[in-house]
Amino acid sequence: MDSHGQNEQRVEWAVVDSGIGPLLLATTGQGLVSVVFHATDEVRDRALERLGSRFGTEPVEVPRSPLLAEAIRQVAAYFAGERHDFELPLDWSLISGFNREVLRELASGVPYGAVVGYGDLARRVGQPGAAQAVGMAMGANPLPVVVPCHRVVERDGGIGGFGGGVETKRKLLALEGVLPEPLF
């Protein structure tokens, strides 16, 4: 344990290219813990600082570590259209309570190529009036793409918001065949 009573854990990371720009992937001994969109140097450095603070250790760039290498392989296969489901251990320690419950339901209950409304997802976790809270949970998702918050849309058919930007959400939904590919 460190001086704050937290268990120190090794955090390993890599930045990979994807169909939506560079992604930062980070793992702990428990599993994939973080996926960060638009991982330019500045965004990457801020994300690594947050992870280091949270876990009490300096994150280490180790793209060839077994778990991180497998996450990289599966993400590449997803963006190549060769993988529809991720089979990775996930470290849920960056999220808790209602948000974790909603994201777990999303990960297990909304398959590739499908979408769900915010209110529908709220009902699935036994909180039928919590559509806005579901939206907040999507915004707090530490594992986007792998835990597919891009599959949550507005009841009236609108695309809804997205932490990685609406254009990124459109690209992910087009990749999964939910939306047509943009013409230009």
Side-chain angles (χ1 to χ4, degrees):
M1 290 215 178
D2 69 11
S3 62
H4 302 291
Q6 295 177 321
N7 288 322
E8 254 189 54
Q9 240 187 110
R10 182 173 167 105
V11 177
E12 298 175 336
W13 66 274
V15 173
V16 298
D17 288 325
S18 75
I20 55 172
L23 295 175
L24 168 74
L25 305 179
T27 61
T28 66
Q30 302 300 307
L32 185 66
V33 71
S34 182
V35 176
V36 179
F37 291 117
H38 315 298
T40 60
D41 291 349
E42 184 180 331
V43 170
R44 177 202 65 209
D45 291 349
R46 280 197 317 265
L48 293 173
E49 187 176 308
R50 283 191 307 272
L51 287 167
S53 176
R54 169 62 175 83
F55 289 102
T57 186
E58 185 72 27
V60 181
E61 186 175 16
V62 191
R64 295 185 203 270
S65 74
L67 179 55
L68 197 50
E70 181 59 18
I72 291 167
R73 187 186 70 72
Q74 289 190 29
V75 166
Y78 169 82
F79 281 103
E82 300 163 358
R83 174 174 281 282
H84 294 173
D85 298 305
F86 291 95
E87 297 171 8
L88 297 166
L90 302 178
D91 178 340
W92 293 94
S93 65
L94 295 179
I95 198 147
S96 61
F98 177 80
N99 290 356
R100 183 187 289 188
E101 184 180 358
V102 168
L103 291 171
R104 283 182 179 263
E105 173 59 31
L106 174 65
S108 65
V110 183
Y112 183 96
V115 293
V116 65
Y118 294 94
D120 292 334
L121 194 51
R123 278 188 287 287
R124 288 185 186 193
V125 297
Q127 300 290 329
Q132 275 192 306
V134 166
M136 297 298 286
M138 296 305 104
N141 182 4
L143 296 162
V145 179
V146 175
V147 176
C149 52
H150 59 276
R151 296 180 189 155
V152 184
V153 297
E154 294 175 347
R155 173 184 53 191
D156 64 4
I159 195 167
F162 194 61
V166 174
E167 189 55 36
T168 298
K169 186 172 187 173
R170 285 184 211 284
K171 287 179 181 178
L172 290 167
L173 291 172
L175 174 70
E176 294 188 10
V178 176
L179 291 175
E181 287 285 343
L183 296 175
F184 41 88

